[in-house]
Amino acid sequence: MDDKFKKVVSHAKEYGFIFPSSEIYDGLSAVYDYGQNGVELKNNIKKYWWASLVQMNHNIVGLDSAIFMHPLTWKASGHVDAFNDPLIDNKDSKKRYRADVLIEEYCQKIESKINKEIAKAKKRFGDDFDENQFITTNDRIVAYKEKIESITSRMSKALEEDDLKSLKKLIEDLEIVDPISGSKNWTDVKQFNLMFSTKVGSTAQSSSDLYLRPETAQGIFVNFLNVQKSARMKIPFGIAQIGKAFRNEIIARQFIFRMREFEQMEMQFFVRPGTQQEWYEKWKENRMNWHMSLGLGKENYRFHDHIKLAHYADAACDIEYNFPFGFKELEGIHSRTDYDLSQHEKHSGKKLQYFDSELNKSYIPYVVETSIGLDRMFLAVLSNSLVEEELDNNSSRIVLKIPSVLAPYKAAILPLVKKDGLSEIATDLYNKLKTEFNIIYDEKDAVGRRYRRQDAIGTPLCITIDHQTLENNTVTIRNRDTMEQKRISTDSVSKEIIKEVNLKNWLV
Ligand code: GAP
């Protein structure tokens, strides 16, 4: 983990955002708990997503379907047969790896050799350095690039053809060693299904296999007609859902980026066949605008269009975010055709068709899906917001510049001292505001330390009640990011907070 990422992880724990699950038992790999501030931030991300889709679109409604679903759901969706990763074990270390990840990491090592060569050349040639020319003409770099290309194409071919022998052969040819034991003593590559299974029922005879859902989307598909009919929805329309998903990831790492239990925010948009490309483009734009509205930096996002498409998709892309460990998938946008609904129709024997009164015919709608990992969004916000600032007086502060609309607490109410009746006025103000906003009251320690505490958890405003409050009913209001303070009337505190956090000022 690089330095910045380590700081994010330790800040998350120290300030009650994220704890390792069951930590007193040494934790459970790739499972995390959200602490007192984490749960607030997470809820606010959910609300922000929900408001932008369900609240602000008359043709999108919500759903909360169960985690357990009829086992045939997963047969129909293809997860039972095809939701696999290729795994390989090292016989000496007994450690398990994803075969494709071992190969990708091998390529990354070559990539970093290329970067080193470039850095060296930059130093040598100074201002005259033409990076593009160097990359295309330097013998060593050209050879490195060819090697990466040849490895990647062998790997893609093996994965596409489900040719596990060739995958193993590639690992052997590249002489990839186990990062722990350094040994090349590998087992064969096997397919590993990522779904967790469990049993329902009290006796061995009556029990049947169930899966913990690996995506929330299927709950939307199987309820498509229930929602459409009960809400009298007309195509095009969407169904949105936020909920837990479970995947038995072979290697789960990078903190909350890849977990075994995580949350997704998914929306399936049902459209007329033939219009899916247009809607796919609209949703790409719409979702990128949502990300931009939070102001985490345009340069930190990019689209990654899928060249190789899943069998059910006719277009797909990821929105990637620049995490502390590089650009990685944050959200997926997929044009899933009528694949899922057709599959459910076939396996359930129930018609899942929509009667289009304008066309006077029934059809299975096409679907454009937007699917974002809530935990990944959380990590994007947290890592983007954590800043260490040098101050004028030779000191420094740690501040979480979280978009105010997502901040766990919108304001802190701080009496300058506990005596002289200041606590009582502060408590009154707190009681007045608490029904409107999530705010926090703090009277412990010197006010400077309390400001630092609020900075560290991202509270955008600090309201201080001091002796002047007794005289003229004014308070100071301090801005987290600029640290500027101004005096305002106590009666206008609510208005100032609204200005900062009102959805109107964020979602346009
Ligand atoms: N219904 C489509 C679907 O599930 P996906 O690309 O597999 O597509 C969608 O997952 C999003 O869920 C990803 O973009 C990512 O943000 C999040 N996600 C997937 N696996 C995850 C994991 N193991 N831990 C955390 N988030 C994950």
Side-chain angles (χ1 to χ4, degrees):
M1 278 200 284
D2 85 348
D3 205 37
K4 163 89 196 208
F5 190 31
K6 273 190 201 151
K7 282 184 183 156
V8 171
V9 176
S10 74
H11 192 88
K13 178 158 184 237
E14 190 179 345
Y15 287 93
F17 284 89
I18 298 169
F19 306 126
S21 157
S22 22
E23 195 185 9
I24 56 168
Y25 296 103
D26 292 336
L28 181 64
S29 164
V31 187
Y32 290 91
D33 297 335
Y34 286 80
Q36 71 280 10
N37 292 319
V39 65
E40 298 291 348
L41 172 55
K42 201 177 182 198
N43 282 341
N44 291 340
I45 297 174
K46 288 189 210 180
K47 275 191 228 156
Y48 196 69
W49 181 86
W50 193 265
S52 77
L53 290 175
V54 180
Q55 188 183 326
M56 292 172 58
N57 289 287
H58 65 92
N59 62 346
I60 300 181
V61 292
L63 180 77
D64 183 13
S65 70
I67 286 171
F68 289 138
M69 298 182 72
H70 192 287
L72 273 181
T73 310
W74 305 111
K75 185 74 191 159
S77 67
H79 285 84
V80 170
D81 298 318
F83 195 51
N84 300 322
D85 277 341
L87 77 79
I88 190 164
D89 289 313
N90 184 274
K91 291 183 197 161
D92 297 320
S93 70
K94 309 273 182 267
K95 287 278 170 200
R96 179 158 278 189
Y97 300 93
R98 256 175 69 174
D100 54 333
V101 171
L102 281 179
I103 298 166
E104 273 167 14
E105 282 174 351
Y106 183 91
C107 291
Q108 273 161 17
K109 278 187 197 144
I110 306 179
E111 200 70 60
S112 58
K113 281 184 192 165
I114 296 177
N115 291 339
K116 267 190 201 146
E117 293 283 345
I118 296 172
K120 262 201 295 188
K122 246 186 207 160
K123 231 182 185 173
R124 198 163 1 117
F125 296 114
D127 288 343
D128 298 335
F129 183 59
D130 179 341
E131 187 168 326
N132 211 22
Q133 191 194 1
F134 183 72
I135 291 172
T136 45
T137 54
N138 179 278
D139 289 346
R140 237 184 312 210
I141 294 199
V142 171
Y144 282 146
K145 285 211 171 268
E146 279 171 5
K147 189 165 184 191
I148 293 177
E149 234 172 83
S150 129
I151 296 170
T152 315
S153 95
R154 268 179 79 182
M155 180 174 81
S156 306
K157 187 164 181 286
L159 288 172
E160 255 165 60
E161 292 170 1
D162 204 13
D163 180 355
L164 302 181
K165 281 207 172 87
S166 295
L167 216 50
K168 164 117 189 247
K169 178 85 177 40
L170 182 54
I171 288 174
E172 285 169 344
D173 289 351
L174 298 174
E175 302 191 334
I176 293 178
V177 296
D178 174 9
I180 293 179
S181 65
S183 114
K184 293 183 221 158
N185 197 3
W186 297 109
T187 61
D188 286 340
V189 178
K190 284 180 280 191
Q191 285 293 15
F192 176 76
N193 193 286
L194 298 187
M195 281 197 295
F196 283 103
S197 60
T198 184
K199 297 256 179 224
V200 67
S202 53
T203 64
Q205 289 80 11
S206 68
S207 70
S208 57
D209 285 326
L210 279 191
Y211 296 105
L212 297 185
R213 66 179 178 200
E215 63 172 8
T216 61
Q218 298 304 324
I220 296 181
F221 288 123
V222 300
N223 278 296
F224 154 70
L225 270 191
N226 282 338
V227 174
Q228 188 270 318
K229 288 194 167 141
S230 58
R232 303 163 65 85
M233 303 302 285
K234 277 195 149 170
I235 268 176
F237 75 91
I239 305 178
Q241 160 154 251
I242 300 175
K244 291 265 182 177
F246 303 83
R247 295 183 189 177
N248 197 0
E249 301 281 0
I250 296 169
I251 34 162
R253 53 179 182 190
Q254 287 163 323
F255 194 35
I256 55 170
F257 181 81
R258 191 177 302 284
M259 299 200 286
R260 299 206 165 94
E261 174 182 338
F262 58 100
E263 259 180 284
Q264 290 184 315
M265 305 194 284
E266 298 199 296
M267 195 275 300
Q268 313 298 128
F269 200 71
F270 300 90
V271 304
R272 229 179 234 175
T275 63
Q276 70 272 19
Q277 187 60 35
E278 179 194 324
W279 283 108
Y280 170 72
E281 294 300 335
K282 273 191 191 155
W283 279 111
K284 261 178 94 169
E285 190 188 335
N286 186 313
R287 291 303 303 146
M288 190 54 108
N289 287 345
W290 182 86
H291 286 286
M292 292 301 114
S293 73
L294 285 168
L296 302 186
K298 201 168 178 229
E299 67 288 358
N300 287 322
Y301 293 86
R302 70 182 185 197
F303 281 115
H304 168 75
D305 292 315
H306 292 196
I307 311 276
K308 185 183 163 279
L309 295 171
H311 57 285
Y312 54 79
D314 63 6
C317 70
D318 299 330
I319 293 179
E320 293 186 338
Y321 178 77
N322 190 10
F323 289 99
F325 37 83
F327 273 96
K328 294 264 167 165
E329 175 184 346
L330 167 61
E331 171 158 8
I333 298 157
H334 314 120
S335 173
R336 291 179 77 131
T337 66
D338 59 354
Y339 176 81
D340 301 84
L341 289 178
S342 303
Q343 282 294 103
H344 287 304
E345 204 177 75
K346 197 164 108 196
H347 284 78
S348 67
K350 309 270 167 27
K351 278 230 166 308
L352 290 176
Q353 306 216 348
Y354 168 81
F355 178 72
D356 191 324
S357 52
E358 280 174 34
L359 299 180
N360 198 25
K361 69 172 193 184
S362 296
Y363 54 77
I364 298 179
Y366 272 46
V367 172
V368 175
E369 163 186 78
T370 71
S371 173
I372 175 170
L374 173 55
D375 311 87
R376 287 192 190 175
M377 188 60 207
F378 188 109
L379 184 56
V381 171
L382 196 69
S383 54
N384 187 284
S385 309
L386 185 63
V387 181
E388 252 182 290
E389 274 181 358
E390 298 299 326
L391 302 177
D392 292 343
N393 56 0
N394 272 345
S395 65
S396 65
R397 69 166 184 157
I398 292 173
V399 54
L400 267 188
K401 294 189 170 177
I402 298 181
S404 318
V405 70
L406 302 182
Y409 295 102
K410 303 309 178 200
I413 308 297
L414 315 170
L416 186 65
V417 289
K418 284 189 224 169
K419 50 186 190 181
D420 304 331
L422 299 188
S423 284
E424 286 74 10
I425 297 175
T427 308
D428 275 354
L429 183 60
Y430 171 80
N431 285 332
K432 254 190 225 146
L433 295 171
K434 72 182 180 192
T435 51
E436 268 185 280
F437 315 101
N438 197 24
I439 49 170
I440 188 167
Y441 179 89
D442 189 4
E443 59 176 25
K444 286 177 233 101
D445 303 323
V447 75
R449 288 185 69 179
R450 282 181 271 162
Y451 285 153
R452 292 287 171 274
R453 271 206 292 271
Q454 296 308 320
D455 287 345
I457 61 170
T459 309
L461 299 170
C462 283
I463 317 293
T464 304
I465 288 82
D466 56 17
H467 290 95
Q468 214 175 311
T469 313
L470 298 172
E471 288 163 23
N472 60 7
N473 197 29
T474 62
V475 291
T476 66
I477 184 161
R478 171 188 180 270
N479 180 292
R480 175 197 67 198
D481 298 347
T482 61
M483 292 189 292
E484 271 166 23
Q485 298 188 27
K486 58 179 182 181
R487 276 207 97 78
I488 58 167
S489 126
T490 313
D491 302 331
S492 55
V493 170
S494 165
K495 249 193 257 156
E496 289 289 329
I497 304 177
I498 288 174
K499 239 197 267 167
E500 190 78 23
V501 302
N502 196 329
L503 272 186
K504 250 198 253 173
N505 301 333
W506 292 88
L507 282 172
V508 273

